[in-house]
Structures are given as structure tokens and as C-alpha cells.
Amino acid sequence: MLALLGYIMVAVFMALIMTKRMSALLALIIVPIVFALIGGFYTGIGDMMLEGIKQVAPTGVMLVFAILYFGIMIDAGLFEPIVNTILRIVKGDPLKIALGTVALASLVALDGDGTTTFIITVTAMLPLYKKLNMNLYMLSTLALLSIGVMNMTPWGGPTARVISSLQLTTEEVFLPLIPVMAAGIAFAFLVAWHFGLKERKRIGIFKMDDPIASEIQAAKEQTAAAVDHGEKSAELQRPKLIWVNAGLTIGLLIALIAGLLPLPVLFMLGFAIAAMINYPNLVQQKERIAAHAGNVLAVVALVFASGIFTGIMNGTGMVDAMATALVQVIPEQLGTQLPLITAITSMPFTYFMANDPYYYGIIPIIGETAASYNIPMAEIARASVLGQPAHVLSPLYAAGYLLVGMIGIDYGQNQRFALKWAVGSSVFMIIAAIAFGVISI
């Protein structure tokens, strides 16, 4: 009954936000509380919610200072050369713009962090999408497909978790996945090709000598928060510090990948240094923080609300019950197909729950079961990360709120638009994994 209650709760939550009957922020708070009361959990709800908030607090802090850090870098003009280069290459062709979105997002996503990927990708590409009147949900979907694949790197999170939970090595799990990840990026380019041709047919191609070119440049400056509090773009940018800012950003990403310090601490330090270097004047520092406060509030509010959702699901035992119920429905005669079953079920599992309970709670159980069928645990590990394109659409994936907030699109509508492509990406990688012998059937 608890598992059934959990599945119904998730279904109600998704229905409410996808039909726009309730905002994601309110649904994340109200829906789990109502279902906890229905389940008879009258006492301890407050502790459950507080525990969930504590779990997401580091992520919330990290996002606060990540947004502020990259906001400073955008204001200072660090990404201006990248944007201008992309502008020259893609020009006014929707097809090139769509392909350029995947290329940029995949490159930036090498660090495995959705926050930096979305900030840089949206900053560079959003003005082009807006001025050519391209579908903004396409931009969101292509960015999500890219990070959904690149999140499978060992430093991205899921792979590291499964390696540690099953006590395997990076060589056993990640190296065989490289061609599968290449297939996932190829799928993202195919989707970009489809989107680009569709938009090219709808809106045509603009030549760079058209008036649209100057309008794109103006929109780029506006999207990058170039004008705020009466200051102009030229006054905010720091061209003489571009290499200093680039070095600071590269150093920050290296420290992030190496795990020198916790992510929240790294971004706090990075923001402090960036603000002092680029805007030593105290008034300017306050204005830069105020300029990006709206993005910070919108994103972090959703993150802490998701903590309530997670806390109640974990505290009531719904997550464990849902996982156990799903594992138990697998017929014994299909035991030899556990790698394929794990790959397929990783999509709903990682969508409905955070990575930690899945990789530290469920995968060890499946791994032990697979061992009884003489199936290497490494296969289960590799199969378990193939659902990551679906995971990045999860309401528990904090960076997803940042993405829709920066683009200015509806969260529920984004789910409706992107979900089929995310599932398609996972299925494509599963097929590639079978073809390459990464998982057996």
C-alpha cells in the first residue's frame, strides 16, 4: 500500500504541474504533505521535511553562489568571445544554431555539472533562439540531452556512486561506456538536426547582413543582463581581465573535478574572488548581486521545496517501498536479463528518486541478485547509469529549475516537450550498449 501511495503521489504531482493546475514550487510542498497525511503519518512530518531540506541545503548554497559567480563572469564579458564565435559560425541558420547548442553544451558538460552547463549554454544561445523566434523548449531539450549523457562521466556523480556502492573500478565501469556515451551525443545531434530542419522550414534562414544581426547582438546583451541599474554593457565588461577570469574559471572547474573542496565552498570562494577582481567598488558589488538576485531566489526556492518532497518520500519509507515493489515484479525466469531490466528501469527509478537512494540502496540489491545468475556486477553498474537522460528531467534534479528559469519557460510544459526525447536518448544508448557488448542479453 505504501508503494502504491508513493506511485500515486508522483503521478498526481506530475499531472498537476504538466496541466498547469499548480506551480512546481507549490506542488513540491503541498502534494507530499497531503499524501503523507493520507498515509497516516501525522507525527514526524516536520522532522521529515527538515531532514529533506538539510539534504538539499548544500545544493541550494552551491546554486546561490554558482549563479552569482557565473553572473559576474557574464557581466564581465568572459563568454563574449565564445558567443561571438558561435554567432559567426551559426549565423542565422536554425539548423546550425541547434547543432551548435549540442556542441557547446556537450563541451561545457565535460565537467559533469549541470549548473555550469546550463548557465553557459543558455547565455550563449538564448539570444539567437529569441531573435530568430525559435522554439525555446528546443534549447532546453538539447541542453538536457547533452548533460544527460555527459553526467555519466566518473566525476559527474552517478558513475562514481555506483562504482563505490558495488566496490568496482573506474576501468570496469566507465571505459566500456565511452562508445555508448558517444552514441548518446550522436542521438542529441540527430535530435538537433530534426529540430533545426523543422525550424528552418518554419522561419527560414536569416543572412548576417540583415537587420536581424544587430538585433541579435542587442538581445545577447540584454539576456546577459548587460544593462542594469543604469549601467551599460561596456561599463560592466572587463576586457583587460578576460584571461584572469578565464584562468579563475578553469581553475575552479579543475578544483571541482578534483574534489579539492566541497562544491558550495568552491563556488563561494570563486564568487568572492571574482567580485573583488572585477568590481572592487562596494557599490558595484551590491548592484551585481542585486542584478542576479531574481534568478537566485527563483531557483533556490524550488531546490528547498524539492527537499520537502524528498524528505517525506524518504521519511515515510515510500522510496524503499516503491523500489522493493518494482524489483519484486521481475519474474524469476527473467533473472538472466537483469542488465537489460536494470537499464530500462533506471529511467523511472532515477526519475522518481535521487541518485543516492538508487545507487546506494537499490543497485546493491540488484547486483547481488545478478551475481546469483553469474552476471558480472560491472554490467549492472553500467546498465544503471543509462537512464540519466531521464534523471535530469526529474523534479529532484536541482539544475533543471535553473535551466527553465534562465530560459523563461514553463516547467510542466518543458516536461511534456522533453520527456519523449529523454526516453529516446536512454533507449538509444541501451541499444548501443547491447550492440557494443557493454551489457548482455
Side-chain angles (χ1 to χ4, degrees), residues 62-73:
M62 183 270 290
L63 286 174
V64 168
F65 289 96
I67 293 170
L68 290 175
Y69 176 83
F70 284 103
I72 291 289
M73 289 299 155

Side-chain angles (χ1 to χ4, degrees), residues 270-284:
F271 162 70
I273 296 171
M276 286 192 300
I277 291 175
N278 292 279
Y279 306 105
N281 183 282
L282 185 60
V283 174
Q284 284 186 318

